[in-house]
Amino acid sequence: MARSRMQLGTHGAITVTAEATIDGVWCTLDKHRDGTWWTLGEPDKRVQVDGPERWRARTVVRDLDGKNRQVRRYAPTKAKAVTALTVALRDREAPSATTIGYRPTTTVTDAAALWLGSSAYADLAERSRDQYAATVRNHVTGSQIAALTLREVNVVSVVESWLQAVAKTAGAGAAKTARSVLSNIMGAALRDRAVQYNAVRSTRVPKADKGSTSKTRTIGRGKSATVVKVEGRDTARAFTKAERDAIVAAADGYAGAKRNDVADVIAFMAGTGTRIREALAVRWEDFDADAGTVFVDGTKSANGARPVHLPPWLRDRLVQRAKVKGMTGVIFASPGNPRRPDLVIDKERPRDARNVTRIVREVLDLAGFTWATSHSFRRSAATIADGAGVSLNEIARSLGQDPATTARFYLARNVDTSAMAGAL
């Protein structure tokens, strides 16, 4: 009965033989029962020797192109020869029928580039592609694993050390995304037989390093860099009207917000309570200057699509923006790249919310509101309106929610309740 073929990428049994030189030629040895060593051959042609000068470990590998190849390693002892062959089999770059190009010695940077150019990446949603490409750019390229090979990085402790560094500098959310990206890369390498398993799947997603209670963040670069003290996020807190106005003024005075055309976005969220993605999707045809309204096409709930009345100061601001920017496409179109004036701006396509959120974060930090997020404008709009006596139903309609959700999640929970005691 014929022997079955080995599976691709596997090897057969390891055989070990003793060798010694006779007249400068390596010969295979055989050990007799009396303990003496002889060369192989006819009895009258055998030569007795003192013992093995080296050991040869050998096996046959069936490579990924379907061909069988012998792999040998030599060492002074039998055990060392087996160890040398085992290491060689692990580290060996086998001939492959694949055209993708992952190899055990491919660096993580090169593997990431291969994955970003693959059909698996192209099939992802546009938002996911943008997020993963940014993760490669910010947390893979130039990182502590960038120059490691796939074989070297495919160790749980190595991956977790890198993820912890990402969590420390960018937060647990960024570390979670980084883990997904590297797992996809290693998964592609696994399918290409460049690695034998995907170690990333066995790693834990680290939490952000809390460190000391006094943290700082550096905004900007070089001489213009500013260091601000950072507080923890407070999702129960809202801006007062004066604080909200101070943030809008800070955005107007911040060069980064002007350069990236984010000041008007902040003013819009502050004056309407819209989500950041809702604000970025509003079009000029949705704006009625005469009525002082804008139609927001929300998508998170059945109440999401709604008209929103603008405060006079915001209505005037949009009228002024229309004079400068024109009234085609989305209201908050991309400002473009000043270093690439040849690029045509697509005013029909909403901007990437992540890039805008980054500038909003800088404005909040510079204004002294490190506890807040872009969503704090939404909670603040509800709280300010509630304090002015606006009904809960009207607030909910303006935010595109049902009243129960607005009351539960969007009215600040740290407001003064002394009036309640006075009424009682």
Side-chain angles (χ1 to χ4, degrees):
M1 182 176 178
R3 244 199 290 181
S4 59
R5 302 180 74 183
M6 291 187 296
Q7 294 293 318
L8 292 175
T10 63
H11 64 82
I14 294 177
T15 59
V16 186
T17 55
E19 294 184 343
T21 53
I22 303 296
D23 297 328
V25 178
W26 286 101
C27 302
T28 302
L29 304 183
D30 180 39
K31 189 176 184 179
H32 285 210
R33 290 185 219 176
D34 61 3
T36 59
W37 289 90
W38 298 77
T39 59
L40 296 180
E42 297 295 326
D44 58 339
K45 296 181 180 179
R46 293 177 186 171
V47 178
Q48 185 176 4
V49 296
D50 295 334
E53 296 178 35
R54 72 179 186 186
W55 291 81
R56 180 188 67 196
R58 170 189 171 277
T59 190
V60 175
V61 178
R62 188 174 182 222
D63 284 323
L64 301 182
D65 58 0
K67 295 181 179 180
N68 292 343
R69 293 179 175 86
Q70 291 190 15
V71 181
R72 304 182 183 88
R73 287 298 182 270
Y74 302 88
T77 67
K78 184 176 182 179
K80 288 182 178 180
V82 172
T83 299
L85 180 59
T86 302
V87 172
L89 292 171
R90 183 198 67 189
D91 296 346
R92 180 173 177 266
E93 280 198 51
S96 170
T98 183
T99 59
I100 295 180
Y102 295 99
R103 295 289 186 272
T105 54
T106 302
T107 65
V108 174
T109 297
D110 291 341
L114 287 171
W115 180 69
L116 289 176
S118 68
S119 59
Y121 173 79
D123 289 341
L124 296 173
E126 181 180 2
R127 186 176 298 175
S128 296
R129 293 199 304 271
D130 292 344
Q131 183 180 21
Y132 288 172
T135 296
V136 170
R137 184 171 60 251
N138 296 330
H139 303 303
V140 176
T141 304
S143 71
Q144 66 193 57
I145 65 169
L148 297 180
T149 64
L150 294 178
R151 182 169 53 227
E152 293 168 336
V153 79
N154 200 34
V155 179
V156 171
S157 60
V158 173
V159 176
E160 287 189 342
S161 175
W162 169 67
L163 290 175
Q164 189 62 58
V166 174
K168 183 176 182 180
T169 58
K176 184 177 180 180
T177 304
R179 181 182 181 274
S180 297
V181 169
L182 186 59
S183 183
N184 279 316
I185 294 171
M186 297 306 298
L190 177 63
R191 289 188 293 274
D192 208 24
R193 302 294 182 95
V195 293
Q196 296 180 351
Y197 57 91
N198 183 354
V200 184
R201 300 183 65 178
S202 300
T203 60
R204 296 176 294 105
V205 178
K207 296 180 179 180
D209 186 7
K210 295 181 179 180
S212 65
T213 57
S214 177
K215 281 189 174 183
T216 60
R217 179 183 293 115
T218 301
I219 301 174
R221 298 179 179 178
K223 295 181 179 179
S224 62
T226 302
V227 179
V228 296
K229 187 176 179 180
V230 179
E231 299 179 54
R233 302 287 184 262
D234 189 347
T235 58
R237 195 168 167 185
F239 305 127
T240 65
K241 192 172 184 178
E243 289 174 336
R244 181 205 66 183
D245 294 343
I247 294 170
V248 173
D252 288 333
Y254 177 43
K258 291 180 181 178
R259 182 173 59 252
N260 293 279
D261 194 20
V262 173
D264 282 349
V265 179
I266 290 176
F268 189 86
M269 291 191 296
T272 61
T274 51
R275 302 176 180 89
I276 191 167
R277 293 187 186 278
E278 290 177 337
L280 296 177
V282 173
R283 304 176 60 82
W284 281 112
E285 54 261 36
D286 299 326
F287 172 52
D288 187 336
D290 295 332
T293 62
V294 66
F295 187 84
V296 177
D297 188 15
T299 58
K300 287 200 69 175
S301 69
N303 301 317
R306 76 275 186 190
V308 177
H309 288 268
L310 306 175
W313 62 268
L314 180 56
R315 178 257 179 206
D316 294 342
R317 185 164 183 141
L318 290 183
V319 169
Q320 183 60 35
R321 181 179 179 86
K323 294 178 181 179
V324 177
K325 301 290 185 178
M327 296 187 67
T328 58
V330 293
I331 293 179
F332 304 111
S334 171
N337 187 341
R339 289 178 290 185
R340 291 294 307 276
D342 57 308
L343 297 179
V344 178
I345 300 174
D346 183 3
K347 292 187 176 183
E348 298 298 319
R349 178 182 177 184
R351 297 172 65 179
D352 188 333
R354 290 186 299 273
N355 293 333
V356 177
T357 300
R358 176 175 57 83
I359 305 301
V360 173
R361 174 77 270 148
E362 293 179 1
V363 170
L364 292 173
D365 288 347
L366 290 171
F369 298 94
T370 59
W371 55 266
T373 69
S374 61
H375 214 64
S376 298
F377 292 108
R378 186 166 173 81
R379 181 175 298 104
S380 300
T383 304
I384 293 171
D386 181 63
V390 180
S391 71
L392 180 60
N393 284 338
E394 189 171 348
I395 296 173
R397 283 198 301 270
S398 182
L399 295 182
Q401 298 170 331
D402 62 85
T405 300
T406 301
R408 185 177 180 184
F409 298 108
Y410 286 92
L411 296 181
R413 299 186 290 276
N414 57 355
V415 296
D416 185 6
T417 60
S418 59
M420 179 71 176
L424 297 175

mmCIF file of all heavy atoms in Angstrom, residues 271-297:
data_model
loop_
_atom_site.group_PDB
_atom_site.id
_atom_site.type_symbol
_atom_site.label_atom_id
_atom_site.label_comp_id
_atom_site.label_asym_id
_atom_site.label_seq_id
_atom_site.Cartn_x
_atom_site.Cartn_y
_atom_site.Cartn_z
ATOM 1 N N GLY A 271 -24.537 75.215 19.698
ATOM 2 C CA GLY A 271 -25.806 75.905 19.556
ATOM 3 C C GLY A 271 -26.975 75.020 19.190
ATOM 4 O O GLY A 271 -28.123 75.492 19.194
ATOM 5 N N THR A 272 -26.714 73.742 18.885
ATOM 6 C CA THR A 272 -27.803 72.846 18.479
ATOM 7 C C THR A 272 -27.876 71.564 19.297
ATOM 8 O O THR A 272 -28.932 70.937 19.349
ATOM 9 C CB THR A 272 -27.652 72.441 17.001
ATOM 10 O OG1 THR A 272 -26.397 71.746 16.833
ATOM 11 C CG2 THR A 272 -27.695 73.660 16.091
ATOM 12 N N GLY A 273 -26.771 71.144 19.892
ATOM 13 C CA GLY A 273 -26.765 69.880 20.616
ATOM 14 C C GLY A 273 -26.708 68.680 19.701
ATOM 15 O O GLY A 273 -26.990 67.555 20.119
ATOM 16 N N THR A 274 -26.347 68.869 18.447
ATOM 17 C CA THR A 274 -26.255 67.743 17.515
ATOM 18 C C THR A 274 -25.007 66.917 17.799
ATOM 19 O O THR A 274 -24.018 67.401 18.362
ATOM 20 C CB THR A 274 -26.186 68.238 16.061
ATOM 21 O OG1 THR A 274 -25.155 69.220 15.954
ATOM 22 C CG2 THR A 274 -27.510 68.837 15.631
ATOM 23 N N ARG A 275 -25.067 65.668 17.391
ATOM 24 C CA ARG A 275 -23.885 64.814 17.459
ATOM 25 C C ARG A 275 -22.880 65.296 16.418
ATOM 26 O O ARG A 275 -23.253 65.917 15.421
ATOM 27 C CB ARG A 275 -24.255 63.358 17.184
ATOM 28 C CG ARG A 275 -25.297 62.782 18.128
ATOM 29 C CD ARG A 275 -25.661 61.361 17.711
ATOM 30 N NE ARG A 275 -26.670 60.766 18.592
ATOM 31 C CZ ARG A 275 -27.985 60.863 18.407
ATOM 32 N NH1 ARG A 275 -28.458 61.536 17.345
ATOM 33 N NH2 ARG A 275 -28.822 60.305 19.247
ATOM 34 N N ILE A 276 -21.608 64.936 16.608
ATOM 35 C CA ILE A 276 -20.582 65.441 15.712
ATOM 36 C C ILE A 276 -20.781 64.924 14.288
ATOM 37 O O ILE A 276 -20.609 65.670 13.317
ATOM 38 C CB ILE A 276 -19.168 65.092 16.248
ATOM 39 C CG1 ILE A 276 -18.100 65.849 15.449
ATOM 40 C CG2 ILE A 276 -18.916 63.590 16.234
ATOM 41 C CD1 ILE A 276 -16.732 65.809 16.087
ATOM 42 N N ARG A 277 -21.194 63.667 14.129
ATOM 43 C CA ARG A 277 -21.418 63.133 12.778
ATOM 44 C C ARG A 277 -22.652 63.764 12.141
ATOM 45 O O ARG A 277 -22.698 63.935 10.920
ATOM 46 C CB ARG A 277 -21.545 61.607 12.825
ATOM 47 C CG ARG A 277 -20.249 60.917 13.222
ATOM 48 C CD ARG A 277 -20.356 59.404 13.083
ATOM 49 N NE ARG A 277 -19.175 58.745 13.605
ATOM 50 C CZ ARG A 277 -18.034 58.591 12.943
ATOM 51 N NH1 ARG A 277 -17.945 59.036 11.709
ATOM 52 N NH2 ARG A 277 -16.992 57.991 13.508
ATOM 53 N N GLU A 278 -23.661 64.094 12.959
ATOM 54 C CA GLU A 278 -24.831 64.788 12.427
ATOM 55 C C GLU A 278 -24.448 66.168 11.922
ATOM 56 O O GLU A 278 -24.877 66.599 10.845
ATOM 57 C CB GLU A 278 -25.901 64.905 13.509
ATOM 58 C CG GLU A 278 -26.565 63.590 13.889
ATOM 59 C CD GLU A 278 -27.575 63.740 15.007
ATOM 60 O OE1 GLU A 278 -27.470 64.718 15.782
ATOM 61 O OE2 GLU A 278 -28.471 62.887 15.110
ATOM 62 N N ALA A 279 -23.618 66.870 12.710
ATOM 63 C CA ALA A 279 -23.203 68.217 12.314
ATOM 64 C C ALA A 279 -22.430 68.190 11.000
ATOM 65 O O ALA A 279 -22.641 69.028 10.117
ATOM 66 C CB ALA A 279 -22.357 68.845 13.419
ATOM 67 N N LEU A 280 -21.556 67.224 10.854
ATOM 68 C CA LEU A 280 -20.722 67.154 9.653
ATOM 69 C C LEU A 280 -21.505 66.750 8.415
ATOM 70 O O LEU A 280 -21.053 66.987 7.291
ATOM 71 C CB LEU A 280 -19.564 66.172 9.887
ATOM 72 C CG LEU A 280 -18.560 66.568 10.968
ATOM 73 C CD1 LEU A 280 -17.515 65.485 11.151
ATOM 74 C CD2 LEU A 280 -17.891 67.896 10.632
ATOM 75 N N ALA A 281 -22.681 66.144 8.610
ATOM 76 C CA ALA A 281 -23.478 65.691 7.469
ATOM 77 C C ALA A 281 -24.498 66.724 6.989
ATOM 78 O O ALA A 281 -25.103 66.544 5.927
ATOM 79 C CB ALA A 281 -24.200 64.393 7.830
ATOM 80 N N VAL A 282 -24.698 67.820 7.735
ATOM 81 C CA VAL A 282 -25.704 68.813 7.362
ATOM 82 C C VAL A 282 -25.274 69.535 6.085
ATOM 83 O O VAL A 282 -24.115 69.927 5.928
ATOM 84 C CB VAL A 282 -25.915 69.832 8.505
ATOM 85 C CG1 VAL A 282 -26.842 70.956 8.054
ATOM 86 C CG2 VAL A 282 -26.504 69.140 9.720
ATOM 87 N N ARG A 283 -26.223 69.711 5.167
ATOM 88 C CA ARG A 283 -25.948 70.326 3.874
ATOM 89 C C ARG A 283 -26.536 71.731 3.820
ATOM 90 O O ARG A 283 -27.432 72.082 4.593
ATOM 91 C CB ARG A 283 -26.530 69.457 2.753
ATOM 92 C CG ARG A 283 -26.025 68.022 2.773
ATOM 93 C CD ARG A 283 -26.707 67.178 1.710
ATOM 94 N NE ARG A 283 -26.458 67.716 0.393
ATOM 95 C CZ ARG A 283 -25.343 67.497 -0.312
ATOM 96 N NH1 ARG A 283 -24.384 66.739 0.164
ATOM 97 N NH2 ARG A 283 -25.192 68.025 -1.515
ATOM 98 N N TRP A 284 -26.065 72.509 2.864
ATOM 99 C CA TRP A 284 -26.540 73.883 2.742
ATOM 100 C C TRP A 284 -28.031 73.949 2.399
ATOM 101 O O TRP A 284 -28.739 74.850 2.833
ATOM 102 C CB TRP A 284 -25.731 74.654 1.701
ATOM 103 C CG TRP A 284 -24.406 75.129 2.224
ATOM 104 C CD1 TRP A 284 -23.174 74.701 1.856
ATOM 105 C CD2 TRP A 284 -24.200 76.121 3.229
ATOM 106 N NE1 TRP A 284 -22.194 75.353 2.564
ATOM 107 C CE2 TRP A 284 -22.794 76.248 3.424
ATOM 108 C CE3 TRP A 284 -25.047 76.919 4.006
ATOM 109 C CZ2 TRP A 284 -22.236 77.134 4.335
ATOM 110 C CZ3 TRP A 284 -24.487 77.806 4.928
ATOM 111 C CH2 TRP A 284 -23.093 77.905 5.085
ATOM 112 N N GLU A 285 -28.517 72.988 1.650
ATOM 113 C CA GLU A 285 -29.942 73.018 1.326
ATOM 114 C C GLU A 285 -30.819 72.703 2.538
ATOM 115 O O GLU A 285 -32.036 72.912 2.510
ATOM 116 C CB GLU A 285 -30.273 72.036 0.195
ATOM 117 C CG GLU A 285 -29.823 70.614 0.445
ATOM 118 C CD GLU A 285 -28.513 70.276 -0.242
ATOM 119 O OE1 GLU A 285 -27.641 71.160 -0.308
ATOM 120 O OE2 GLU A 285 -28.382 69.138 -0.721
ATOM 121 N N ASP A 286 -30.195 72.200 3.617
ATOM 122 C CA ASP A 286 -30.937 71.943 4.855
ATOM 123 C C ASP A 286 -31.066 73.205 5.719
ATOM 124 O O ASP A 286 -31.777 73.178 6.730
ATOM 125 C CB ASP A 286 -30.237 70.848 5.674
ATOM 126 C CG ASP A 286 -30.163 69.519 4.932
ATOM 127 O OD1 ASP A 286 -31.102 69.218 4.187
ATOM 128 O OD2 ASP A 286 -29.152 68.800 5.101
ATOM 129 N N PHE A 287 -30.366 74.258 5.350
ATOM 130 C CA PHE A 287 -30.336 75.489 6.143
ATOM 131 C C PHE A 287 -31.317 76.503 5.573
ATOM 132 O O PHE A 287 -31.258 76.857 4.391
ATOM 133 C CB PHE A 287 -28.913 76.055 6.139
ATOM 134 C CG PHE A 287 -28.781 77.415 6.769
ATOM 135 C CD1 PHE A 287 -29.275 77.676 8.037
ATOM 136 C CD2 PHE A 287 -28.147 78.450 6.078
ATOM 137 C CE1 PHE A 287 -29.142 78.931 8.607
ATOM 138 C CE2 PHE A 287 -28.012 79.705 6.633
ATOM 139 C CZ PHE A 287 -28.512 79.948 7.908
ATOM 140 N N ASP A 288 -32.220 76.986 6.415
ATOM 141 C CA ASP A 288 -33.200 78.014 6.044
ATOM 142 C C ASP A 288 -32.879 79.261 6.858
ATOM 143 O O ASP A 288 -33.232 79.360 8.040
ATOM 144 C CB ASP A 288 -34.615 77.533 6.329
ATOM 145 C CG ASP A 288 -35.677 78.491 5.797
ATOM 146 O OD1 ASP A 288 -35.373 79.692 5.628
ATOM 147 O OD2 ASP A 288 -36.820 78.047 5.562
ATOM 148 N N ALA A 289 -32.188 80.197 6.229
ATOM 149 C CA ALA A 289 -31.763 81.399 6.943
ATOM 150 C C ALA A 289 -32.943 82.249 7.386
ATOM 151 O O ALA A 289 -32.929 82.843 8.467
ATOM 152 C CB ALA A 289 -30.813 82.215 6.067
ATOM 153 N N ASP A 290 -33.971 82.314 6.562
ATOM 154 C CA ASP A 290 -35.139 83.137 6.902
ATOM 155 C C ASP A 290 -35.878 82.590 8.114
ATOM 156 O O ASP A 290 -36.286 83.347 9.014
ATOM 157 C CB ASP A 290 -36.088 83.221 5.708
ATOM 158 C CG ASP A 290 -35.462 83.957 4.531
ATOM 159 O OD1 ASP A 290 -34.590 84.823 4.786
ATOM 160 O OD2 ASP A 290 -35.826 83.661 3.380
ATOM 161 N N ALA A 291 -36.047 81.273 8.152
ATOM 162 C CA ALA A 291 -36.748 80.664 9.285
ATOM 163 C C ALA A 291 -35.822 80.441 10.479
ATOM 164 O O ALA A 291 -36.291 80.187 11.602
ATOM 165 C CB ALA A 291 -37.355 79.329 8.855
ATOM 166 N N GLY A 292 -34.512 80.522 10.235
ATOM 167 C CA GLY A 292 -33.563 80.282 11.325
ATOM 168 C C GLY A 292 -33.545 78.828 11.759
ATOM 169 O O GLY A 292 -33.408 78.535 12.955
ATOM 170 N N THR A 293 -33.668 77.912 10.797
ATOM 171 C CA THR A 293 -33.697 76.484 11.115
ATOM 172 C C THR A 293 -32.706 75.724 10.237
ATOM 173 O O THR A 293 -32.271 76.204 9.196
ATOM 174 C CB THR A 293 -35.096 75.879 10.888
ATOM 175 O OG1 THR A 293 -35.449 76.012 9.504
ATOM 176 C CG2 THR A 293 -36.138 76.558 11.766
ATOM 177 N N VAL A 294 -32.412 74.529 10.671
ATOM 178 C CA VAL A 294 -31.607 73.604 9.889
ATOM 179 C C VAL A 294 -32.205 72.223 10.066
ATOM 180 O O VAL A 294 -32.670 71.873 11.158
ATOM 181 C CB VAL A 294 -30.124 73.625 10.326
ATOM 182 C CG1 VAL A 294 -29.953 73.096 11.739
ATOM 183 C CG2 VAL A 294 -29.254 72.827 9.372
ATOM 184 N N PHE A 295 -32.263 71.448 9.002
ATOM 185 C CA PHE A 295 -32.818 70.102 9.093
ATOM 186 C C PHE A 295 -31.665 69.118 9.295
ATOM 187 O O PHE A 295 -30.729 69.064 8.495
ATOM 188 C CB PHE A 295 -33.607 69.737 7.834
ATOM 189 C CG PHE A 295 -34.340 68.437 7.953
ATOM 190 C CD1 PHE A 295 -35.587 68.390 8.550
ATOM 191 C CD2 PHE A 295 -33.770 67.260 7.487
ATOM 192 C CE1 PHE A 295 -36.273 67.188 8.675
ATOM 193 C CE2 PHE A 295 -34.444 66.050 7.609
ATOM 194 C CZ PHE A 295 -35.694 66.020 8.203
ATOM 195 N N VAL A 296 -31.751 68.348 10.384
ATOM 196 C CA VAL A 296 -30.716 67.376 10.730
ATOM 197 C C VAL A 296 -31.237 65.984 10.417
ATOM 198 O O VAL A 296 -32.290 65.579 10.928
ATOM 199 C CB VAL A 296 -30.335 67.479 12.220
ATOM 200 C CG1 VAL A 296 -29.296 66.411 12.583
ATOM 201 C CG2 VAL A 296 -29.806 68.866 12.528
ATOM 202 N N ASP A 297 -30.538 65.288 9.563
ATOM 203 C CA ASP A 297 -30.961 63.950 9.152
ATOM 204 C C ASP A 297 -30.258 62.917 10.021
ATOM 205 O O ASP A 297 -29.324 62.233 9.605
ATOM 206 C CB ASP A 297 -30.637 63.722 7.674
ATOM 207 C CG ASP A 297 -31.238 62.419 7.153
ATOM 208 O OD1 ASP A 297 -32.111 61.865 7.840
ATOM 209 O OD2 ASP A 297 -30.842 61.983 6.068
#
